[in-house]
Amino acid sequence: MIFSPKKDVFFDMLFTISENVKEAAQYFVEYKIQSVSDLKEFARVMKEYERKGDSFIHELVVQLNKTFITPIEREDIHQLAMKMDDVLDGFEQCSARFEMFSFTDIDEHMVKFLTIFIKARLKLFTPSNCLRTKNCSICANMPLKSRTMKRSATKFCARRSKTCL
């Protein structure tokens, strides 16, 4: 067919980046740290996810620079990719600090925070999938849900910091 729909490379790249973030989040949440050697392995794997994410971002930026017309604003594509990269950078930095301070004990507060985090990581994955499948009805109420989760995480952290003082 002459006029068959063309697959959009940017939405596929954003989806690949979000898949990497999703896998990194899954690993971050599910990995059980019990010793210092576990910490070293955890930090190494998280660094690999971050490196892979950086290479995906680089590919996307190169493609943005080569393309004259993009499906949505190039700044929006770049900003979405950079926000996902910021999440990966946060994972990597957190795992490096865990290793630096030999943090092997996880208390009940951290478990509660990770529960909120698990819900939030799924919300990060949804928009890139909506763009890729061009089914944005799923994302209609995403901003409201994201704000609610951010609010609950912020309240949790504020309560936690008061109990630590």
Side-chain angles (χ1 to χ4, degrees), residues 80-98:
L80 182 58
M82 294 313 292
K83 293 294 180 185
M84 287 191 277
D85 186 55
D86 290 346
V87 172
L88 274 176
D89 291 343
F91 288 152
E92 193 270 326
Q93 289 170 5
C94 186
S95 66
R97 287 191 177 106
F98 283 180

Side-chain angles (χ1 to χ4, degrees), residues 21 30 49 74 88 94 119 130-131 133 147 149 152 159 165:
V21 172
E30 292 179 355
Y49 278 118
R74 69 179 63 246
L88 274 176
C94 186
K119 292 177 187 175
C130 290
L131 289 171
T133 61
R147 281 194 300 264
M149 272 192 278
S152 65
R159 280 185 301 221
L165 296 175

Side-chain angles (χ1 to χ4, degrees), residues 27 31 33 36-51 91-100:
Y27 184 81
Y31 192 82
I33 299 169
V36 175
S37 62
D38 289 345
L39 278 172
K40 289 187 185 309
E41 176 65 15
F42 179 67
R44 185 192 64 75
V45 172
M46 291 309 297
K47 183 69 176 171
E48 282 302 311
Y49 278 118
E50 199 270 333
R51 277 193 197 123
F91 288 152
E92 193 270 326
Q93 289 170 5
C94 186
S95 66
R97 287 191 177 106
F98 283 180
E99 182 184 14
M100 184 187 322

Side-chain angles (χ1 to χ4, degrees), residues 11-126:
F11 295 152
D12 287 343
M13 287 176 150
L14 287 171
F15 183 76
T16 303
I17 294 167
S18 71
E19 276 282 320
N20 188 49
V21 172
K22 183 179 175 183
E23 289 172 17
Q26 193 79 26
Y27 184 81
F28 189 89
V29 169
E30 292 179 355
Y31 192 82
K32 302 296 182 217
I33 299 169
Q34 297 176 352
S35 67
V36 175
S37 62
D38 289 345
L39 278 172
K40 289 187 185 309
E41 176 65 15
F42 179 67
R44 185 192 64 75
V45 172
M46 291 309 297
K47 183 69 176 171
E48 282 302 311
Y49 278 118
E50 199 270 333
R51 277 193 197 123
K52 191 166 35 164
D54 285 346
S55 70
F56 292 148
I57 297 292
H58 176 73
E59 289 173 25
L60 182 113
V61 170
V62 166
Q63 192 65 35
L64 274 173
N65 290 336
K66 288 181 181 177
T67 305
F68 184 67
I69 297 175
T70 57
I72 59 175
E73 293 291 327
R74 69 179 63 246
E75 291 82 15
D76 294 340
I77 294 170
H78 187 261
Q79 185 177 17
L80 182 58
M82 294 313 292
K83 293 294 180 185
M84 287 191 277
D85 186 55
D86 290 346
V87 172
L88 274 176
D89 291 343
F91 288 152
E92 193 270 326
Q93 289 170 5
C94 186
S95 66
R97 287 191 177 106
F98 283 180
E99 182 184 14
M100 184 187 322
F101 297 115
S102 298
F103 186 71
T104 57
D105 296 331
I106 297 177
D107 64 358
E108 65 183 80
H109 298 289
M110 189 147 187
V111 171
K112 286 180 186 177
F113 186 76
L114 287 174
T115 304
I116 295 169
F117 176 73
I118 290 168
K119 292 177 187 175
R121 76 176 164 81
L122 293 173
K123 299 303 176 192
L124 178 68
F125 179 71
T126 304

